[in-house]
């Protein structure tokens, strides 16, 4: 599968423009000051950008500073010229109030860089959660040849002789700490032991999920996503990615040919099969929107729910990223889905071959970690889509529903999958932490915890706060989880089957805004409903009282973000940004 080579490289309009000697001189002149020669830039060789997401501020991606050298080697050996530049840092763990604010900001910055500078193609370096979607969103908007180089997960973490996964061990240990089973120091030690090397989360959290999505979409080389950051193969695939980036330019193989609806449906199915993050929903929706593809709520149910869980990886399973890679990684999962008739093998990819061709001979080598299609960990492992008078859209990750949770909440004879409980409502995480252990709150084993004010508008940015744990007294009694609902997100490393990403959020007038502590909620997973059992007249009366307050915007970008952001069911994108497609097809105006 090859494209038609462009008649003239985009970069030549900067560096070899016969109609504008003055502009050519201006563009060439300053590149000379560190030793680049005019012969290189005027040679007609493709100029490949390396969008550098690594920095001291993003430790998950920091090793891209070293990997970029191997990418450069590949670009040079293939006859291209590399120009490395920084992209906006996106570090999930540390950015406050949430890195959810910065995905759209990083997208905007990368669009301007790829459009306004003389790039013929780009290598997108990814790793930490939002570096992947922001990069692919930008590549789809600009539509120059692009390829994703993942940074890879950390090595497997071990603590007291047991596997400990990044993120997941924190959610598990905070419950144990609250129950009095471990000390504060033991809590911290377990968390620190989960991060033994360079790389992003070694669980199937959002980072591993989104890099798997890049591979499932056909935007990275086969096998790229799961190679641990510390393995030699990571440097090798960096070199091969550089080689391939130049070939993409010669073949004029652009994201618009790869990011089709069929490719996104493949990604949705792969997400279910790996037990992937709930954050895949807004991110895939956003990437699709910028690629001119519509992914709606029904797609998660119709195409993604009846998919078996094949990856035995935390938080839905037992193992971590290092062993997942050695078992065959994402290609082995996709191979199983292809053989099971759930994958479109005709999709084009950056390799120049179809997805089916890429997956030839990629069967799993460790069936404890990657299960056969007909012997999965769970038969139906996708996201349930719910609606009702609390929201028009929300999702629930079914692959993390534990046997205990199912027995306590979803197994009443004659009413399987149906649960009613009393709501306890918290306005943001500060309110939750301040009151969850208040003895005046009669939270019991039949309660439902609700958090609002956590969506794109309310936080702002949509925060990972929905995976709330029960009060300490219930944890000490052995009740490890309660049903939770919210208009925010939760960490992809969380093992909580929350109902989340609710839209419209409370700050946009969604039903959660009018829920009160003490109301009864009915959740019917079979019917896909989630409703407060409050009559319409009372809801109307509460609506007249107005919406719960939200904190003021603290920065200029927070105000711009709130003024432009869509809801989670639409990908929390910049409203109207999808109007700009394939913008590199028109050259930008000269600057002098």
């Amino acid at each position: 599968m090859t494209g038609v080579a462009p008649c003239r490289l985009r970069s030549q309009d900067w560096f070899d423009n016969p109609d504008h000697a003055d502009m050519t001189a201006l563009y060439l002149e300053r590149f000379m000051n560190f030793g680049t020669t005019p012969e290189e830039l005027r040679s007609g060789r493709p100029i490949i950008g390396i969008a550098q997401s690594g920095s001291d501020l993003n430790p998950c991606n920091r090793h891209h500073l070293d990997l970029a050298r191997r990418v450069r080697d590949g670009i040079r050996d293939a006859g291209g010229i590399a120009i490395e530049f920084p992209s906006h840092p996106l570090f999930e763990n540390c950015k406050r109030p949430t890195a959810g604010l910065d995905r759209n900001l990083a997208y905007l910055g990368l669009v301007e860089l790829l459009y306004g500078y003389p790039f013929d193609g780009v290598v997108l370096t990814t790793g930490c959660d939002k570096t992947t979607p922001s990069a692919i969103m930008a590549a789809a908007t600009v539509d120059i040849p692009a390829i994703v180089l993942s940074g890879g997960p950390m090595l497997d973490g071990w603590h007291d002789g047991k596997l400990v996964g990044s993120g997941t061990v924190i959610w598990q240990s905070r419950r144990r700490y609250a129950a009095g089973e471990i000390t504060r120091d033991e809590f911290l030690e377990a968390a620190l032991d989960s991060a033994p090397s360079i790389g992003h989360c070694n669980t199937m959290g959002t980072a591993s999920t989104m890099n798997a999505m890049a591979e499932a979409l056909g935007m990275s080389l086969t096998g790229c996503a799961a190679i641990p950051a510390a393995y030699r193969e990571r440097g090798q695939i960096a070199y091969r990615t550089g080689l391939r980036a130049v070939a993409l330019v010669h073949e004029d193989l652009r994201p618009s040919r790869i990011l089709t609806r069929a490719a996104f449906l493949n990604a949705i199915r792969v997400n279910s099969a790996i037990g992937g993050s709930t954050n895949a929903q807004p991110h895939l929706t956003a990437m699709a929107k910028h690629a001119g593809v519509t992914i709606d709520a029904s797609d998660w149910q119709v195409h993604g729910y009846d998919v078996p869980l094949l990856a035995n990886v935390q938080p839905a399973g037992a193992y971590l990223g290092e062993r997942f890679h050695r078992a065959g990684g994402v290609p082995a999962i996709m191979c199983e889905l292809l053989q099971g008739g759930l994958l479109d093998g005709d999709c084009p990819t950056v390799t120049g071959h179809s997805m089916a061709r890429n997956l030839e001979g990629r069967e799993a080598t460790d069936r404890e970690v990657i299960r056969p299609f007909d012997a999965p960990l769970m038969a139906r492992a996708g996201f349930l889509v719910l609606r009702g008078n609390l929201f028009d859209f929300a999702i629930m990750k079914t692959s993390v529903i534990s046997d205990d949770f199912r027995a306590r909440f979803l197994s009443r004879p004659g009413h399987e999958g149906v649960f009613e409980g009393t709501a306890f409502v918290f306005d943001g995480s500060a309110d939750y932490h301040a009151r969850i252990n208040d003895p005046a709150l009669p939270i019991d084993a039949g309660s439902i915890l609700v958090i609002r004010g956590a969506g794109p508008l309310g936080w702002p940015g949509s925060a990972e706060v929905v995976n709330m744990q029960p009060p300490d007294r219930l944890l000490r009694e052995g009740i490890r989880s309660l049903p939770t609902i919210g208009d925010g997100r939760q960490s992809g490393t969380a093992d909580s089957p929350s109902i989340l990403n609710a839209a419209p959020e409370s700050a946009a007038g969604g039903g959660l805004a009018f829920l009160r502590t003490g109301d009864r909620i009915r959740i019917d997973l079979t019917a896909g409903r989630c409703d407060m059992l409050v009559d319409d007249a009372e809801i109307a009366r509460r609506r007249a009282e107005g919406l719960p307050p939200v904190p003021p915007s603290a920065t200029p970008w927070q105000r711009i973000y709130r003024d432009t952001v869509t809801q989670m069911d639409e990908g929390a994108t910049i409203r109207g940004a999808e109007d700009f497609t394939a913008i590199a097809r028109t050259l930008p105006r000269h600057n002098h």
Side-chain angles (χ1 to χ4, degrees):
M1 179 194 309
T2 58
V4 178
C7 297
R8 181 174 170 82
L9 292 175
R10 186 171 182 270
S11 60
Q12 288 178 288
D13 200 67
W14 275 260
F15 299 132
D16 190 25
N17 191 328
D19 299 323
H20 288 284
D22 55 344
M23 299 310 303
T24 295
L26 183 70
Y27 300 136
L28 281 170
E29 174 259 332
R30 205 49 56 91
F31 278 97
M32 301 302 100
N33 69 7
F34 68 96
T36 303
T37 66
E39 292 80 15
E40 289 175 281
L41 296 178
R42 304 191 71 192
S43 64
R45 295 159 62 185
I47 294 179
I48 309 296
I50 302 173
Q52 179 55 265
S53 64
S55 71
D56 290 354
L57 198 56
N58 188 351
C60 297
N61 290 34
R62 192 182 187 282
H63 55 295
H64 275 305
L65 297 172
D66 296 321
L67 288 174
R69 287 195 284 269
R70 294 299 291 140
V71 177
R72 283 176 174 274
D73 291 342
I75 291 169
R76 174 66 68 167
D77 285 356
I81 297 169
I83 295 181
E84 185 177 349
F85 62 92
S87 57
H88 182 85
L90 281 162
F91 181 30
E92 188 68 35
N93 293 34
C94 241
K95 173 63 194 287
R96 295 161 66 172
T98 173
L101 272 171
D102 283 23
R103 187 202 66 184
N104 292 354
L105 184 59
Y107 156 77
L108 279 179
L110 190 52
V111 165
E112 292 301 317
L113 290 166
L114 296 181
Y115 175 68
Y117 285 91
F119 297 120
D120 301 305
V122 64
V123 175
L124 306 165
T125 66
T126 68
C128 190
D129 299 16
K130 292 167 186 62
T131 57
T132 306
S134 64
I136 294 178
M137 288 159 62
T141 294
V142 180
D143 201 33
I144 61 174
I147 187 169
V148 170
L149 173 66
S150 308
M154 296 180 284
L155 301 177
D156 290 357
W158 294 87
H159 177 75
D160 287 345
K162 297 179 181 178
L163 283 170
V164 286
S166 48
T168 301
V169 70
I170 294 177
W171 317 127
Q172 294 170 343
S173 294
R174 73 174 183 176
R175 294 193 292 263
R176 296 184 63 204
Y177 177 53
E181 297 172 4
I182 57 174
T183 67
R184 182 177 183 276
D185 286 345
E186 288 171 329
F187 183 176
L188 295 176
E189 288 168 7
L192 299 179
D193 285 348
S194 71
S197 75
I198 58 172
H200 60 64
C201 290
N202 50 28
T203 47
M204 194 56 71
T206 307
S208 288
T209 296
M210 293 316 302
N211 288 290
M213 295 299 94
E215 187 170 332
L217 287 167
M219 286 295 292
S220 61
L221 296 181
T222 307
C224 178
I227 300 170
Y231 275 28
R232 66 184 181 187
E233 289 87 349
R234 180 52 64 190
Q236 291 169 346
I237 205 161
Y239 173 76
R240 293 173 184 136
T241 297
L243 288 174
R244 186 62 196 153
V246 177
L248 290 175
V249 175
H250 289 308
E251 296 168 16
D252 199 26
L253 183 50
R254 299 168 184 255
S256 54
R257 290 186 54 204
I258 296 168
L259 296 175
T260 63
R261 176 167 165 79
F264 281 101
L265 295 181
N266 277 350
I268 287 174
R269 298 182 187 109
V270 172
N271 184 68
S272 298
I274 62 177
S277 169
T278 51
N279 288 305
Q281 177 264 314
H283 293 329
L284 281 175
T285 302
M287 290 187 286
K289 184 184 290 188
H290 289 295
V293 172
T294 299
I295 296 294
D296 60 32
S298 66
D299 290 322
W300 296 93
Q301 191 88 29
V302 173
H303 299 283
Y305 179 62
D306 291 322
V307 176
L309 177 62
L310 303 178
N312 190 6
V313 178
Q314 297 180 23
Y319 298 101
L320 296 174
E322 190 176 357
R323 188 164 170 186
F324 176 64
H325 163 66
R326 287 159 49 197
V330 177
I333 295 288
M334 297 185 74
C335 186
E336 291 292 329
L337 294 177
L338 182 65
Q339 293 173 358
L342 288 184
L343 201 76
D344 187 335
D346 293 331
C347 289
T349 74
V350 292
T351 68
H353 304 298
S354 69
M355 185 61 75
R357 171 78 177 276
N358 292 345
L359 299 177
E360 290 176 2
R362 303 304 292 248
E363 288 81 4
T365 58
D366 182 345
R367 287 304 186 182
E368 195 172 2
V369 180
I370 298 178
R371 299 290 184 88
F373 184 85
D374 56 0
L377 279 80
M378 181 184 291
R380 295 176 178 85
F383 296 162
L384 275 173
V385 177
L386 298 104
R387 55 185 52 83
N389 64 7
L390 285 171
F391 39 73
D392 296 334
F393 170 88
I395 59 169
M396 181 182 190
K397 180 177 175 178
T398 63
S399 61
V400 292
I401 297 177
S402 66
D403 292 341
D404 174 69
F405 188 94
R406 190 176 298 278
R408 285 195 294 116
F409 300 111
L410 303 174
S411 300
R412 188 159 58 99
H415 301 275
E416 290 81 3
V418 180
F419 173 73
E420 288 187 13
T422 301
F424 288 85
V425 182
F426 301 96
D427 286 301
S429 62
D431 183 34
Y432 162 76
H433 288 297
R435 295 196 297 125
I436 187 61
N437 288 311
D438 185 345
L441 280 182
I443 299 172
D444 59 24
S447 300
I448 299 174
L449 305 181
V450 179
I451 192 167
R452 65 190 179 193
L457 293 173
W459 196 259
S462 188
E464 294 187 337
V465 296
V466 182
N467 52 320
M468 298 170 285
Q469 67 186 34
D472 294 358
R473 56 183 171 77
L474 293 185
L475 288 165
R476 288 192 290 268
E477 294 172 13
I479 298 174
R480 295 302 202 194
S481 62
L482 292 174
T484 56
I485 300 173
D487 54 11
R489 301 176 294 116
Q490 75 178 24
S491 170
T493 65
D495 55 358
S496 169
S498 304
I499 296 170
L500 40 70
N501 296 358
E505 62 180 300
S506 61
L512 288 175
F514 314 113
L515 185 69
R516 302 291 184 262
T517 291
D519 289 344
R520 298 285 289 178
I521 293 176
R522 188 172 194 267
I523 299 168
D524 186 338
L525 299 186
T526 303
R529 297 285 305 184
C530 184
D531 296 279
M532 55 176 158
L533 304 181
V534 178
D535 65 55
D536 291 344
E538 174 61 15
I539 293 175
R541 187 192 68 78
R542 294 176 185 180
R543 187 180 294 274
E545 295 176 350
L547 303 178
V550 298
S553 296
T555 66
W557 170 243
Q558 287 188 18
R559 177 181 292 176
I560 294 169
Y561 178 90
R562 278 174 156 154
D563 286 345
T564 60
V565 71
T566 64
Q567 290 290 288
M568 292 292 278
D569 58 331
E570 299 179 78
T573 55
I574 297 170
R575 189 177 298 106
E578 68 274 15
D579 295 342
F580 297 85
T581 59
I583 61 175
R585 299 286 177 154
T586 301
L587 289 165
R589 297 166 68 185
H590 290 291
N591 58 23
H592 281 75

